[in-house]
Amino acid sequence: MKVMQLTAYENTLASQLSGGNKRKLCVALALMGGTNMQFFDEPSSGVDPIARRFLWNAIQQGVKLRQSSVILTTHTMDEAESLCNKIAIQVNGRFACLGSVQHLRSKFGDGYRVVIEPINNLDKDATMLQLITKDYQNNRPNIIQEITKHFGNIYIVDDMHSGKIICKFPLAGFQFHQTFHFFQEKLQKELQLIKDFQISQPNLEQIFMQFAAQQTIEEVVQKKESPNRCHVVALCGNDEDD
């Protein structure tokens, strides 16, 4: 009761608890048995962000103290990534993949993205539209020329709203150290064309949406189910990536 912060409700019927406190009570009942394996079905569904983080911490502490394992289903990618070291994505009742978050990113992601913020050469009183237009007129051709010269013909996206340049690199053959060194040492320090840059991989939610998109209309019609039948099953264990 103390761990779940439910002592104030010890004389209250479970049916009279709020949704968040009912979730806390359910998690407490699952953890108090001290079993080697617990199963949770969307444990933080319907609770506010603070209560959600609290439940995640409680589950993690229970696993750590008892050296137990947890299997949970969720539609919240943050929950799966925060709680578990193995994640399986289920599509139409079948497992489509199984592995760590990094394994899923490497195997099913569409490569790396580099988001570039060009140097702004205008004064502080310039409007946002002027900043964006001037940045692109002054620096964009030089930035793209240097990138193309070094990496070849890669896919480049213009984000006119933010004034940033987005480069997409294929996963095969990507070398993180060399790429980081080029943008930092060449474009940022030597040529002073960019203010900042960020290298990232697709997040878990984007990978989840890729699997969700694999469902065909025929399967949905045959099963008479909603198109959103893609689930994440997250596991705390040592299973092999697949």
Side-chain angles (χ1 to χ4, degrees):
M1 296 287 285
K2 291 182 180 179
V3 172
M4 289 296 175
Q5 298 180 348
L6 292 173
T7 52
Y9 308 99
E10 58 184 356
N11 295 319
T12 304
L13 294 175
S15 60
Q16 297 175 351
L17 294 174
S18 65
N21 286 328
K22 285 180 180 178
R23 285 289 179 179
K24 290 181 181 180
L25 180 60
C26 290
V27 172
L29 291 172
L31 294 176
M32 67 186 297
T35 59
N36 294 328
M37 180 77 70
Q38 289 96 31
F39 294 84
F40 294 97
D41 183 15
E42 302 190 40
S44 64
S45 176
V47 301
D48 61 82
I50 296 177
R52 181 179 297 117
R53 290 288 176 180
F54 179 84
L55 285 175
W56 293 355
N57 290 335
I59 293 174
Q60 287 175 325
Q61 290 176 10
V63 170
K64 185 176 181 180
L65 289 173
R66 295 179 174 85
Q67 296 296 310
S68 59
S69 298
V70 165
I71 297 178
L72 63 88
T73 60
T74 182
H75 285 94
T76 305
M77 301 303 104
D78 289 343
E79 183 170 67
E81 195 164 355
S82 297
L83 287 178
C84 297
N85 53 14
K86 297 291 180 182
I87 295 174
I89 297 180
Q90 189 180 40
V91 181
N92 288 333
R94 296 188 299 270
F95 286 125
C97 64
L98 171 64
S100 64
V101 174
Q102 185 57 45
H103 171 74
L104 298 185
R105 285 175 175 171
S106 299
K107 187 171 183 178
F108 301 104
D110 59 356
Y112 288 81
R113 296 197 329 160
V114 180
V115 180
I116 304 164
E117 183 179 357
I119 289 288
N120 172 28
N121 296 322
L122 292 184
D123 57 53
K124 297 180 180 179
D125 296 327
T127 65
M128 180 59 67
L129 180 60
Q130 289 174 325
L131 290 174
I132 294 173
T133 305
K134 191 69 175 179
D135 265 352
Y136 269 65
Q137 289 176 348
N138 283 350
N139 293 331
R140 183 177 178 276
N142 294 332
I143 293 172
I144 293 179
Q145 182 180 2
E146 291 296 330
I147 293 174
T148 304
K149 185 191 304 182
H150 190 83
F151 296 104
N153 189 22
I154 63 170
Y155 186 64
I156 299 177
V157 179
D158 297 340
D159 188 347
M160 294 297 296
H161 178 71
S162 65
K164 296 180 180 180
I165 301 172
I166 302 174
C167 303
K168 292 188 176 182
F169 291 82
L171 185 63
F174 182 84
Q175 297 179 326
F176 187 91
H177 175 73
Q178 287 82 347
T179 304
F180 186 90
H181 184 271
F182 169 78
F183 280 96
Q184 183 181 59
E185 299 299 327
K186 183 72 174 180
L187 295 187
Q188 190 173 35
K189 293 183 178 180
E190 180 182 337
L191 300 179
Q192 297 184 356
L193 292 174
I194 65 175
K195 182 188 299 183
D196 197 10
F197 67 95
Q198 181 182 32
I199 303 176
S200 63
Q201 282 184 285
N203 57 39
L204 189 59
E205 184 172 355
Q206 291 171 323
I207 296 173
F208 175 79
M209 294 306 297
Q210 290 179 25
F211 281 102
Q214 292 178 4
Q215 300 170 111
T216 63
I217 297 177
E218 290 79 7
E219 289 175 321
V220 174
V221 172
Q222 289 174 2
K223 296 187 177 183
K224 297 181 180 180
E225 294 176 338
S226 167
N228 187 17
R229 298 296 297 172
C230 191
H231 299 80
V232 167
V233 181
L235 310 96
C236 294
N238 297 311
D239 302 87
E240 294 296 326
D241 295 334
D242 196 9

